[in-house]
Amino acid sequence: MSRVTGVCLFTEPAEDPRLIKAVTDWLAERNFGPLKDVADHGGGTKHPQWREYSAGYNYFVDAAEFAEFVLALDWDWPENVILMTQREDEHMSVWRRT
């Protein structure tokens, strides 16, 4: 039986793309696929004022370990970085730099 974890990462639209690459590289080193930019798939007539990256993973690493890595990156706007994780059959966790 699989155990799926959903991951969603919100950032400022103008964030340095090298930071998302760092996240993707961290995931690849652990044999997980990349987060995909899904911000262009929302409804409405305007683009949201954020970038939104999403993925689902089977048997994902400890979410706290991932969140610690993501939030420690040198974001230009760290106050606007939001990471959400939800392991199947558990409550959603929301991670932000404080």
Side-chain angles (χ1 to χ4, degrees):
M1 180 177 194
S2 68
R3 180 122 181 170
V4 177
T5 299
V7 175
C8 191
L9 175 64
F10 291 88
T11 70
E12 281 285 320
E15 275 297 352
D16 186 337
R18 291 176 292 185
L19 295 169
I20 295 301
K21 181 174 179 345
V23 173
T24 297
D25 290 348
W26 189 95
L27 291 165
E29 289 169 7
R30 289 153 182 82
N31 297 314
F32 293 104
L35 292 171
K36 298 287 184 170
D37 186 343
V38 297
D40 291 331
H41 297 285
T45 60
K46 299 289 184 180
H47 191 281
Q49 297 301 303
W50 62 66
R51 298 306 312 167
E52 181 181 348
Y53 303 88
S54 184
Y57 299 113
N58 202 22
Y59 300 108
F60 193 54
V61 298
D62 178 54
E65 175 189 353
F66 181 60
E68 182 178 327
F69 170 78
V70 170
L71 296 178
L73 291 171
D74 191 22
W75 300 100
D76 291 326
W77 295 276
E79 67 278 5
N80 292 335
V81 174
I82 301 169
L83 175 66
M84 297 185 302
T85 60
Q86 184 174 18
R87 181 174 273 173
E88 190 174 347
D89 300 326
E90 293 184 9
H91 294 286
M92 183 179 296
S93 295
V94 179
W95 312 85
R96 298 185 80 162
R97 191 183 291 177
T98 54

